[in-house]
Amino acid sequence: MQILHATSWPYLSFQTTKQHSKGGLLLERCLQPSTANCFFQLQKLERSIWVSHKRSIFSCFAPKAASVEAVSSATSIGTAEGDVLKALSQIIDPDFGTDIVSCGFVKDLLIDEASGEVSFGLELTTPACPIKDMFEQQANEVVARLAWVKKVNVTMSAQPAKPIFAGELPAGLQRISNIVAVSSCKGGVGKSTIAVNLAYTLAGMGARVGIFDADVYGPSLPTMVSPENRLLEMNPEKRTIIPTDYLGVKLVSFGFAGRGRAIMRGPMVSGVINQLLTTTEWGELDYLVIDMPPGTGDIQLTLCQVVPLTAAVIVTTPQKLAFIDVAKGVRMFSKLKVPCVAVVENMCHFDADGKRYYPFGRGSGSQVVQQFGIPHLFDLPIRPTLSASGDSGMPEVVADPQGEVAKTFQNLGVCVVRQCAKIRQQVSTAVTYDKSIKAIKVKVPDSEEEFLLHPATVRRNDRSAQSVDEWTGEQKLQYGDIPEDIEPDEIRPMGNYAVSITWPDGFSQIAPYDQLQMIERLVDVPQPTPVQS
């Protein structure tokens, strides 16, 4: 076994001690070099899985290129296959107005005309899709209406979790589809309560979920959940962290690394956060919820820069003072190109004697929505059970999954799923290359404008150190260095703010959307190049 120290590696180190009976290694944190051998004994871990499937009226799919994988039986199925796909194309994704065949959801089509049996899969973009049951029912119905069909077998599945962003992500983050920050920039507004209950709501919808408690000075996660294994373990060969688990949700917090909260300076805290987040073996996750610490300092900037955040949920309370601090956080996310998809106004009101009272005033949440254009607002009442559940180690949505609070979180969960899917779709199609006209198409997320750029112009406008001297500003890349007929090999999203363009010479150019919008545009659109037969 090895013990974690906060004095090296470079921030957390490991000291050899006895091996745990399960083969893992206990992970601990010591504040001073002299503080050693400070660990708790692991108890036997018996995980229970909480599953609470719920339905909703919203969609969570992101359209992509049509790719139906049809597998034929011994009988010719040309016409039969067309009939089935035509029937399935009647099912429209309500968010994007595109049928499920064009979206590429239909997989492994098998048809046996002799017996009238049709089998296929619907591969969704996330297992937490709120309307997956509706799609399954509609698929059964439309195919069963075909005259020759006697039996329909539909298999529901979801795509493997994976990020859409380019760049060399740390190994632990490479199989996470969406990273959602829950932030308030002000302490005491119930941000951790929102983060934990949102995570368990998403898990209840069928998603694979993890929670990262980014507050080193005052970690809340160890109080709000009750895993039997309350110490993180380490994989000695890979030197990676193995998260603990509670009710099927993976958990990482500095509070599970030894002695609760830290006493250390900012740069070291940022290093610890970076190390805990990026060296953890998260595995395949649909959503990683990050419980952000208060403020807009080093830790927040580190998190926003180290990981490609998909979206943020903003938490506030009705007071004017809360709005002032929250506004700082929204502006920070705006500068870092992280979309804020929802506002949760906590501790809004309580009901007594048939009346509703607003002890802290009204309007902070709606003010955030109106001033910053955040599309969705959710309010939570002052509820003793919500506070008590956080102190008891069992989230409210688990303790009372049919209650009023759980319904609000269910709506918030549906909103997060839906908005993340839309963001992923917008980001993945923001910058593409059209070979037929030899032009780069740009449609920046949250913008209706679409324009064309000449590939050579984009390449010549690179502002990296390889093209421009960082000290003198001298242009090292000359106009004639780039051939006029250059074409990109690959274009991939990089966070919510830029794309990575790989060129034939092996150069990888980082092109922020802001820069692309300033480049000279193509006015005379080239005619499409005829396809060679």
Side-chain angles (χ1 to χ4, degrees):
M1 176 179 299
Q2 297 181 355
I3 296 176
L4 175 66
H5 290 270
T7 54
S8 61
W9 194 54
Y11 303 101
L12 306 175
S13 65
F14 300 90
Q15 174 180 321
T16 302
T17 180
K18 65 180 181 178
Q19 184 81 13
H20 185 257
S21 60
K22 292 171 58 181
L25 301 176
L26 288 185
L27 181 63
E28 259 189 28
R29 186 264 311 156
C30 297
L31 295 177
Q32 302 297 333
S34 61
T35 310
N37 299 320
C38 50
F39 65 89
F40 295 108
Q41 182 67 33
L42 263 178
Q43 300 178 354
K44 184 179 180 181
L45 183 62
E46 298 176 351
R47 294 179 175 86
S48 60
I49 305 298
W50 169 63
V51 179
S52 172
H53 294 286
K54 301 181 180 74
R55 298 177 62 184
S56 175
I57 62 171
F58 293 112
S59 170
C60 58
F61 300 124
K64 57 185 178 183
S67 59
V68 180
E69 300 173 1
V71 182
S72 62
S73 62
T75 309
S76 174
I77 59 169
T79 304
E81 177 184 322
D83 290 344
V84 172
L85 296 180
K86 184 177 180 181
L88 290 173
S89 65
Q90 300 175 55
I91 304 173
I92 305 298
D93 181 287
D95 252 348
F96 299 99
T98 307
D99 67 87
I100 64 173
V101 176
S102 298
C103 286
F105 299 154
V106 182
K107 302 288 183 180
D108 302 324
L109 178 58
L110 288 166
I111 298 176
D112 188 339
E113 286 188 278
S115 64
E117 185 172 347
V118 179
S119 301
F120 58 89
L122 291 182
E123 185 183 73
L124 312 182
T125 58
T126 171
C129 176
I131 58 169
K132 55 190 173 186
D133 293 340
M134 185 190 78
F135 274 106
E136 182 178 8
Q137 179 183 347
Q138 289 183 346
N140 271 293
E141 291 175 353
V142 296
V143 175
R145 293 195 194 113
L146 297 174
W148 55 271
V149 173
K150 296 179 181 178
K151 185 178 180 181
V152 182
N153 299 314
V154 183
T155 303
M156 304 298 293
S157 63
Q159 298 173 13
K162 57 183 179 180
I164 60 173
F165 305 118
E168 293 297 325
L169 287 176
L173 303 177
Q174 289 180 1
R175 291 187 292 164
I176 301 176
S177 291
N178 303 280
I179 302 177
V180 180
V182 178
S183 174
S184 66
C185 297
K186 180 175 177 60
V189 300
K191 171 183 49 58
S192 296
T193 299
I194 306 303
V196 170
N197 281 277
L198 171 61
Y200 280 92
T201 297
L202 294 171
M205 295 168 67
R208 296 157 292 191
V209 183
I211 305 175
F212 180 70
D213 182 358
D215 195 341
V216 170
Y217 294 118
S220 302
L221 199 59
T223 303
M224 305 191 72
V225 294
S226 304
E228 292 191 28
N229 182 356
R230 299 188 66 83
L231 271 181
L232 298 172
E233 297 179 14
M234 188 198 87
N235 184 322
E237 297 179 357
K238 299 180 180 178
R239 296 188 68 79
T240 54
I241 298 168
I242 302 171
T244 188
D245 177 283
Y246 179 59
L247 303 180
V249 174
K250 295 181 179 181
L251 311 169
V252 171
S253 171
F254 195 71
F256 293 136
R259 290 189 169 183
R261 63 192 65 196
I263 304 174
M264 60 179 74
R265 294 186 181 276
M268 181 175 286
V269 173
S270 298
V272 169
I273 288 294
N274 188 352
Q275 189 174 334
L276 283 173
L277 179 59
T278 60
T279 64
T280 292
E281 295 182 13
W282 292 106
E284 283 197 1
L285 292 182
D286 299 294
Y287 302 93
L288 175 61
V289 177
I290 298 183
D291 180 9
M292 300 281 283
T296 55
D298 289 344
I299 299 175
Q300 290 77 8
L301 292 175
T302 296
L303 286 168
C304 291
Q305 292 169 354
V306 167
V307 299
L309 295 177
T310 309
V313 173
I314 305 300
V315 183
T316 185
T317 52
Q319 299 98 320
K320 181 179 179 181
L321 185 60
F323 169 78
I324 294 172
D325 286 341
V326 166
K328 298 176 185 177
V330 175
R331 293 189 183 100
M332 176 190 72
F333 285 123
S334 177
K335 289 182 179 179
L336 296 170
K337 306 299 182 183
V338 178
C340 296
V341 298
V343 175
V344 179
E345 188 172 17
N346 195 21
M347 296 179 280
C348 286
H349 54 75
F350 67 89
D351 296 329
D353 302 324
K355 295 182 180 180
R356 176 157 291 184
Y357 297 90
Y358 297 85
F360 303 122
R362 305 174 68 175
S364 175
S366 58
Q367 192 174 356
V368 175
V369 170
Q370 293 170 8
Q371 183 165 330
F372 297 102
I374 301 174
H376 304 283
L377 174 64
F378 302 87
D379 60 77
L380 285 168
I382 299 174
R383 187 67 62 87
T385 56
L386 185 58
S387 175
S389 64
D391 295 337
S392 69
M394 179 174 288
E396 174 74 0
V397 297
V398 180
D400 185 13
Q402 303 301 322
E404 179 185 349
V405 170
K407 291 178 181 177
T408 300
F409 277 107
Q410 176 68 19
N411 293 333
L412 174 61
V414 169
C415 171
V416 169
V417 169
R418 181 179 178 223
Q419 294 299 315
C420 284
K422 292 178 70 173
I423 291 167
R424 286 174 64 86
Q425 187 269 336
Q426 290 175 347
V427 170
S428 64
T429 59
V431 182
T432 57
Y433 181 62
D434 190 331
K435 291 186 71 71
S436 66
I437 60 174
K438 298 185 181 300
I440 294 175
K441 289 185 176 181
V442 181
K443 187 176 186 300
V444 176
D446 296 325
S447 172
E448 296 300 322
E449 183 184 25
E450 185 176 70
F451 54 90
L452 301 175
L453 300 175
H454 195 289
T457 304
V458 174
R459 178 67 177 85
R460 289 167 181 148
N461 276 273
D462 176 57
R463 306 304 298 168
S464 70
Q466 289 185 257
S467 302
V468 180
D469 189 292
E470 292 181 298
W471 293 100
T472 65
E474 180 185 356
Q475 186 75 34
K476 295 192 292 184
L477 179 69
Q478 301 302 312
Y479 187 94
D481 295 340
I482 305 301
E484 199 67 23
D485 60 351
I486 192 171
E487 297 183 63
D489 284 343
E490 185 181 22
I491 299 178
R492 297 181 297 169
M494 187 171 183
N496 294 315
Y497 72 97
V499 291
S500 172
I501 306 175
T502 303
W503 299 98
D505 59 2
F507 180 72
S508 182
Q509 177 181 356
I510 306 302
Y513 297 146
D514 291 347
Q515 181 186 355
L516 293 176
Q517 289 176 301
M518 301 298 292
I519 294 177
E520 181 183 359
R521 303 177 183 184
L522 277 174
V523 179
D524 297 324
V525 180
Q527 293 298 317
T529 303
V531 179
Q532 299 295 328
S533 58

